[in-house]
Amino acid sequence: QQQVKQSPQSLIVQKGGIPIINCAYENTAFDYFPWYQQFPGKGPALLIAIRPDVSEKKEGRFTISFNKSAKQFSLHIMDSQPGDSATYFCAASKGGATNKLIFGTGTLLAVQP
Amino acid sequence: DADVTQTPRNRITKTGKRIMLECSQTKGHDRMYWYRQDPGLGLRLIYYSFDVKDINKGEISDGYSVSRQAQAKFSLSLESAIPNQTALYFCATSADRGQYTGELFFGEGSRLTVL
């Protein structure tokens, strides 16, 4: 019940495409859902986060869609660029607790020029 | 300079050796964490510390120990390294800003190989 299942494991899109990364959770107590972005040789960095009181959140070209009834959330990258090539991790926690974050397994995204 | 600095960045060692990974931060955060990253498994929490006198086990603490030497320093030790501890290790920090605003700030990682 503590798992966060992330798919796909890897994804290749052309420049300008809209990659979509999906995550699903079981624990209904989770109420904070961040996405972290990791470039090769670097540590992950917070990209965007959502709470379940909204169904969508946008920050620039990045959008989180949240479906509370399905216990699923997804990351969409609009007009993807080669510089977006990175590994993306979804995560979840109760109350936004940083010591209780459960991470997904990661998605390696490659955006081809 | 990086706000969260890990040393060494790469280390190759042999089974049974004692290894220490060190982390220092200039962000002024009270909270520090050690994570392990494995392909296909994501990031898993090993230990965390909310202040100098506070140490807590995470999801996968067996085979590891930590020391919080100062607010800015948090080290991870493998007393007797084994091959399945080969992984990428990350130190992270966060500020105590209340619920829903927590953000983890990661170092650049320490790649450990145990032969």
Side-chain angles (χ1 to χ4, degrees), chain A residues 9 31-32 34 36 38 41-47 49 51-52 87 89 93-106, chain B residues 9 31 33 35 37-45 48 50 59 88 90 94-95 98-109:
Chain A
Q9 188 173 0
D31 59 2
Y32 175 69
Y36 279 77
Q38 182 183 26
K42 302 294 185 181
L46 180 63
L47 182 63
R51 290 180 58 191
T87 298
F89 293 97
S93 74
K94 177 183 177 182
T98 48
N99 60 313
K100 299 293 186 183
L101 270 176
I102 304 297
F103 283 88
T105 52
Chain B
R9 293 293 312 278
R31 301 182 174 196
Y33 312 77
Y35 280 89
Q37 182 178 357
D38 297 277
L41 295 179
L43 292 155
R44 294 179 292 169
L45 183 61
Y48 65 97
F50 278 1
E59 182 185 357
L88 183 56
F90 285 101
S94 70
Q99 291 184 333
Y100 305 114
T101 56
E103 175 181 353
L104 291 170
F105 295 86
F106 287 86
E108 296 193 328

Side-chain angles (χ1 to χ4, degrees), chain B:
Chain B
D1 290 339
D3 294 322
V4 182
T5 302
Q6 295 183 229
T7 56
R9 293 293 312 278
N10 288 283
R11 181 73 182 268
I12 300 174
T13 191
K14 295 182 179 180
T15 297
K17 295 292 188 180
R18 183 178 187 273
I19 295 297
M20 178 180 287
L21 305 180
E22 297 183 322
C23 178
S24 63
Q25 52 111 350
T26 58
K27 299 191 73 68
H29 291 166
D30 287 326
R31 301 182 174 196
M32 298 188 74
Y33 312 77
W34 275 104
Y35 280 89
R36 168 176 173 162
Q37 182 178 357
D38 297 277
L41 295 179
L43 292 155
R44 294 179 292 169
L45 183 61
I46 305 172
Y47 270 96
Y48 65 97
S49 168
F50 278 1
D51 64 42
V52 174
K53 296 182 180 180
D54 177 73
I55 299 289
N56 302 282
K57 292 183 177 180
E59 182 185 357
I60 54 164
S61 60
D62 287 349
Y64 301 95
S65 62
V66 291
S67 174
R68 185 81 184 266
Q69 300 94 327
Q71 186 212 33
K73 296 185 182 294
F74 192 37
S75 60
L76 175 72
S77 293
L78 288 68
E79 296 301 326
S80 180
I82 56 177
N84 76 359
Q85 291 178 312
T86 293
L88 183 56
Y89 291 86
F90 285 101
C91 174
T93 72
S94 70
D96 181 9
R97 292 178 179 167
Q99 291 184 333
Y100 305 114
T101 56
E103 175 181 353
L104 291 170
F105 295 86
F106 287 86
E108 296 193 328
S110 295
R111 184 169 296 280
L112 176 66
T113 302
V114 183
L115 302 177

